[in-house]
Amino acid sequence: MGCCNMITTGFIKKGLLTLSLVLFYYFFSIVLTFYNKIVVTKFKYPLVMTYIHLIVKFVLASLVRNILECKKGKSRVTLDWWTFLVSVGPVGITSILDIGLSNWSFEFITVSLYTMTKTSAIVFILIFGLILRVETFRWMQLCVVLCISLGLFLFTFKSTQFNLIGFLMCLAASVTSGLRWGLTQKVAQRGELGLTNPVDFMYHIQPWMICGLLPLAVGIEGLKFSGDKNFLDYSSSNTIEKNMAVLLGGALLAFGLEFSEFLLVMKTSSLTLSVSSMFKECCILLFAHWLYNDEMNYINMLGLVACLSGIALHIYIKATKVIAPERINTKDEASLGLLANSIENEEDTAT
């Protein structure tokens, strides 16, 4: 009876922690998705917008690190140049490709087509997770990935405006997303690097993302942005202040999103983040159906059921992984207790 209570308590604690992290991630992700969609349609410079977000995130990460240093009286971890180049560099480059291509694709495609294409990200996350050996292959996991990706595709399937350029951008973002989160999990779970705090991770990764996006932002949008009087109208300070406030609001949401993503990956896995993201996409699309009065057909409903079934299967797999070690530990503790009691009884008999 005591063993069952210990297993149940451990499972509940782990479940509540994961649920809290997922809800924390959902808040920033859902709000930022709709925020970016509204901003990008009016502010036609998604790469410049992303670049400003990166600078603000780096400043905020530096500020939080300084506050923690003053509060705890202990310096934060700072990587040497070689580790910064070899370990963090690939994560930063793939991150900026993922974020930049995703934001850029909104200029060409609808939210529905974006979501349909982004469903492939979970497949690439599993593939790169296996290649990088941060995930162990299980047939059940493969079923989860296929069920969720196919379900979300059917859920978002409808006649929508197709744009080849935007589609290819979004597909490329899915591939880099898989590599990004596989590398992130590999680096974050290496205890010797000391990047166990999301703020430290963000502080080290932002310079790579800033440098990586700069050539794209300047080369593709630099001239148009510098000559756009709708944004850089120096004769009207209110225009500049209003636009900067809009971009700053997005940057704060982007900081919260990246913090929640890294925290979820560090405490669970990149595959759990991806599954949570798929469920989030379902929620976003349900909100979109409600806001824009879109009708759902039988294919959409079938896709929703398949997606939710895959998510439920993933939760079941994670639950069995939590319970199994606790059963072993509980049995070991019980065996040690019986052994100790038998030794005491033998000593009492001898005396």
Side-chain angles (χ1 to χ4, degrees), residues 21 24-26 28-29 198 202 255-265 273:
L21 295 174
F24 184 56
Y25 159 68
Y26 278 173
F28 290 104
S29 183
M202 293 171 66
F255 179 85
L257 174 61
E258 192 166 331
F259 181 87
S260 64
E261 287 175 334
F262 285 138
L263 189 62
L264 185 57
V265 170
L273 172 64

Side-chain angles (χ1 to χ4, degrees), residues 26-304:
Y26 278 173
F27 171 77
F28 290 104
S29 183
I30 293 175
V31 173
L32 185 62
T33 297
F34 283 101
Y35 190 92
N36 279 346
K37 180 60 180 175
I38 295 172
V39 173
V40 168
T41 54
K42 297 180 180 179
F43 180 73
K44 300 291 185 178
Y45 306 102
L47 296 180
V48 173
M49 180 186 73
T50 305
Y51 192 77
I52 294 173
H53 288 181
L54 294 176
I55 295 175
V56 174
K57 286 193 292 183
F58 180 69
V59 172
L60 288 175
S62 303
L63 180 63
V64 173
R65 276 168 56 93
N66 289 331
I67 292 174
L68 292 175
E69 286 182 353
C70 295
K71 185 177 180 180
K72 296 184 178 181
K74 183 180 179 182
S75 60
R76 308 296 301 177
V77 61
T78 303
L79 299 179
D80 59 84
W81 280 103
W82 178 250
T83 306
F84 178 69
L85 178 67
V86 175
S87 298
V88 183
V91 182
I93 294 172
T94 53
S95 296
I96 195 54
L97 288 174
D98 178 20
I99 297 172
L101 289 170
S102 295
N103 287 345
W104 197 3
S105 67
F106 275 126
E107 190 174 345
F108 301 94
I109 59 178
T110 62
V111 174
S112 297
L113 182 56
Y114 169 84
T115 308
M116 288 169 63
T117 310
K118 264 289 190 175
T119 57
S120 60
I122 188 173
V123 178
F124 294 113
I125 285 177
L126 178 60
I127 292 173
F128 285 113
L130 294 173
I131 293 173
L132 297 171
R133 298 182 179 180
V134 294
E135 294 286 350
T136 304
F137 178 79
R138 295 183 181 87
W139 287 106
M140 293 283 281
Q141 278 188 341
L142 182 60
C143 292
V144 168
V145 168
L146 294 177
C147 194
I148 292 176
S149 58
L150 178 61
L152 191 55
F153 178 82
L154 292 176
F155 180 54
T156 57
F157 180 78
K158 65 177 182 178
S159 298
T160 183
Q161 184 179 359
F162 182 81
N163 184 287
L164 181 61
I165 296 176
F167 170 75
L168 293 177
M169 283 181 181
C170 195
L171 185 62
S174 296
V175 176
T176 54
S177 177
L179 182 57
R180 170 195 181 187
W181 290 113
L183 290 171
T184 299
Q185 183 178 346
K186 191 176 182 66
V187 173
Q189 294 179 353
R190 285 177 59 187
E192 66 271 16
L193 294 181
L195 298 179
T196 55
N197 189 308
V199 174
D200 293 327
F201 204 109
M202 293 171 66
Y203 171 80
H204 285 88
I205 200 176
Q206 298 307 316
W208 279 104
M209 299 173 72
I210 292 172
C211 294
L213 186 61
L214 180 60
L216 294 174
V218 173
I220 297 174
E221 299 176 352
L223 290 177
K224 293 181 181 179
F225 175 71
S226 61
D228 191 346
K229 293 184 179 181
N230 292 325
F231 184 80
L232 297 176
D233 186 4
Y234 297 104
S235 61
S236 175
S237 59
N238 292 332
T239 301
I240 297 178
E241 291 174 358
K242 180 181 178 180
N243 290 328
M244 290 304 298
V246 171
L247 294 178
L248 181 61
L252 293 174
L253 290 172
F255 179 85
L257 174 61
E258 192 166 331
F259 181 87
S260 64
E261 287 175 334
F262 285 138
L263 189 62
L264 185 57
V265 170
M266 290 174 180
K267 298 297 183 182
T268 57
S269 68
S270 57
L271 190 60
T272 298
L273 172 64
S274 181
V275 172
S276 303
S277 178
M278 295 298 103
F279 183 73
K280 175 215 53 173
E281 299 296 346
C282 289
C283 295
I284 289 176
L285 290 168
L286 286 174
F287 278 126
H289 281 295
W290 175 67
L291 286 174
Y292 304 118
N293 295 320
D294 292 339
E295 294 183 0
M296 293 180 61
N297 55 37
Y298 290 109
I299 295 178
N300 301 145
M301 294 299 297
L302 178 63
L304 179 60

Side-chain angles (χ1 to χ4, degrees), residues 345-351:
N345 292 334
E346 290 178 0
E347 290 177 352
D348 292 338
T349 304
T351 55

Side-chain angles (χ1 to χ4, degrees), residues 7 317-333:
I7 293 171
I317 294 172
K318 286 294 181 182
T320 54
K321 286 178 67 176
V322 172
I323 292 175
E326 291 190 357
R327 281 179 175 168
I328 295 173
N329 294 334
T330 305
K331 288 179 180 178
D332 291 341
E333 291 174 2

